[in-house]
Amino acid sequence: MSHQVAVVAMAAHTALGNLDTTWQELCAGKSAIAPLPRFDTTNYLTNLAALLPQSSDVSPSHSITLLEHLATDLGVVPSNTILFGATTKWGIDQLERAGRQLPYDANALYSATLIEQMRRLWPSKGAGQVFAAACASSTLALARASATIAAGRTSSVLVCGVDMCSEFVFSGFSALQGLAPEACRPFCQQRRGLTLGEGAAALLLMDAERACAEGRPTLATIAGWGVAADAHHITAPARDGCGLQLACRKALAKAACDVSDIDAIHAHGTGTVYNDAMEITAFHHLFPESLPPIFGVKGAIGHTLGAAGAIETALSIQCLRNNSLPPTVGVESPMTEAANAITRQTTPFTGTTILKTNSGFGGINAALLFKKSEVAHVR
């Protein structure tokens, strides 16, 4: 027997603010991408990023402070909850400070300390694990959490994705020629690269029956999930999107859905030439008749790396709860291959099912399928 997976609580912090503020600003077409004062960008391709409000400098405990804000917003979790952390480079900002002989927080130096901090903020006797799968990290963690609940191995999992914008990461993307000189333009004909961002999100997943018994709200259900690698290149995606297609097909099969059931796609949409082309190619293979509405949020909050999947999951659920899709900020002239599908303004949405995709270095691809909750609260 497969157990239904319910999202019962969520919190997020991005460069636009907390989850509610991020949603409102996103629907208003706002972008938080701006010149960053955190470190000297003279030798890099750009000076732009999307930083958290009032975080021009990373204090010794800034990463932990971000988690503390999430914990305050999310509230208490059950004591037997399994903890899944997801990140690309948790602690790299503190390692930078240590290397420069600046004050740093030893409690946020390495990936393993993410679970330690989660356990401090959300006391739990459940197991803990950190997922580090590049920019699909938290999407993969959500997929694993969903599979664990569906199989009946646990009834409660907390997934927390977090990443900061550090000079180490910034310099790496600059060296790869991956940063756009201006704010990124996902799915735009003039796209020239990505813009880095930072942020975090936490989502509490539960067995729907347990959530009902405990009187917890079901914000949405995760009906399907899929993960696949294209084994193409260490940084570049396979041009035909074969890995992403497979991940999406797995998610559809898990949910017992057909492509005709998908009402919208929340795409990875980095704004790089090859990622966006790969995604649209994959979507055309999946939806040969016509593409559903497609949107992305990185033109507003930047690419939050390992946190992207968790943040974007929370925003996908906001779409279902608010019956609207946000604009894809930064698009001027949509790619001709998807010109009629890319959202350019806040759009009324009556659909019930959203497909979420994320891809990362190493050829990793992950997909989640969200369904609108029929009831907001069940007792």
Side-chain angles (χ1 to χ4, degrees):
M1 174 183 175
S2 181
H3 298 254
Q4 189 178 56
V5 182
V7 179
V8 301
M10 57 185 187
H13 282 268
T14 75
L16 286 174
N18 63 19
L19 180 55
D20 288 339
T21 302
T22 296
W23 172 253
Q24 293 165 8
E25 296 288 83
L26 187 61
C27 289
K30 301 289 183 64
S31 174
I33 296 172
L36 78 163
R38 184 172 292 170
F39 47 80
D40 183 9
T41 59
T42 301
N43 296 318
Y44 303 136
L45 292 179
T46 184
N47 67 338
L48 299 176
L51 302 186
L52 291 161
Q54 300 178 336
S55 65
S56 60
D57 185 28
V58 180
S59 67
S61 60
H62 188 74
S63 300
I64 294 176
T65 300
L66 176 57
L67 290 185
E68 290 171 345
H69 288 321
L70 278 183
T72 299
D73 291 352
L74 189 76
V76 178
V77 304
S79 61
N80 62 342
T81 298
I82 291 177
L83 304 178
F84 282 174
T87 185
T88 299
K89 290 294 180 185
W90 164 267
I92 191 63
D93 52 331
Q94 300 307 310
L95 283 172
E96 284 181 354
R97 296 182 68 89
R100 292 167 176 166
Q101 298 184 333
L102 296 170
Y104 67 93
D105 195 326
N107 295 311
L109 274 179
Y110 308 107
S111 294
T113 61
L114 174 53
I115 288 296
E116 295 173 10
Q117 291 303 316
M118 288 178 64
R119 201 177 299 281
R120 177 179 67 85
L121 296 168
W122 294 286
S124 172
K125 298 177 182 178
Q129 184 176 349
V130 174
F131 291 76
C135 301
S137 296
S138 50
T139 321
L140 183 63
L142 285 161
R144 179 65 65 84
S146 299
T148 303
I149 292 173
R153 292 195 292 269
T154 190
S155 59
S156 181
V157 182
L158 176 66
V159 177
C160 180
V162 57
D163 259 315
M164 303 299 299
C165 181
S166 66
E167 186 171 5
F168 175 86
V169 173
F170 198 91
S171 64
F173 276 98
S174 183
L176 287 170
Q177 303 293 305
L179 298 180
E182 71 287 314
C184 68
R185 302 178 181 181
F187 302 114
C188 188
Q189 293 183 38
Q190 296 82 16
R191 66 193 186 280
R192 299 176 63 187
L194 62 84
T195 301
L196 287 173
E198 61 185 10
L203 298 104
L204 180 60
L205 279 52
M206 295 186 74
D207 181 312
E209 289 189 4
R210 176 178 176 178
C212 179
E214 295 184 3
R216 293 178 178 270
T218 295
L219 306 178
T221 59
I222 301 181
W225 49 90
V227 178
D230 58 41
H232 173 73
H233 188 270
I234 193 169
T235 58
R239 299 291 182 90
D240 62 0
C242 58
L244 183 58
Q245 289 184 56
L246 181 56
C248 291
R249 293 189 192 283
K250 286 182 176 181
L252 287 163
K254 179 64 67 175
C257 285
D258 187 75
V259 292
S260 61
D261 297 317
I262 302 302
D263 299 307
I265 301 173
H266 187 168
H268 191 50
T270 62
T272 63
V273 172
Y274 295 124
N275 174 86
D276 291 10
M278 177 276 288
E279 283 198 275
I280 295 302
T281 298
F283 295 152
H284 273 294
H285 281 287
L286 289 165
F287 303 89
E289 299 289 330
S290 62
L291 295 175
I294 299 171
F295 68 98
V297 300
K298 292 181 175 69
I301 62 173
H303 191 342
T304 55
L305 304 178
I311 292 170
E312 292 165 9
T313 288
L315 292 171
S316 296
I317 293 173
Q318 289 288 69
C319 292
L320 293 171
R321 299 183 71 200
N322 290 280
N323 300 310
S324 61
L325 301 179
T328 303
V329 176
V331 174
E332 293 182 3
S333 303
M335 296 168 58
T336 55
E337 300 89 340
N340 295 325
I342 305 300
T343 63
R344 301 183 64 187
Q345 59 188 7
T346 300
T347 306
F349 179 63
T350 58
T352 61
T353 307
I354 292 178
L355 178 66
K356 174 78 200 87
T357 61
N358 287 100
S359 302
F361 284 174
I364 186 70
N365 299 275
L368 301 170
L369 198 150
F370 309 114
K371 283 187 170 292
K372 186 172 186 175
S373 174
E374 296 181 0
V375 288
H377 202 112
V378 179
R379 288 189 182 277

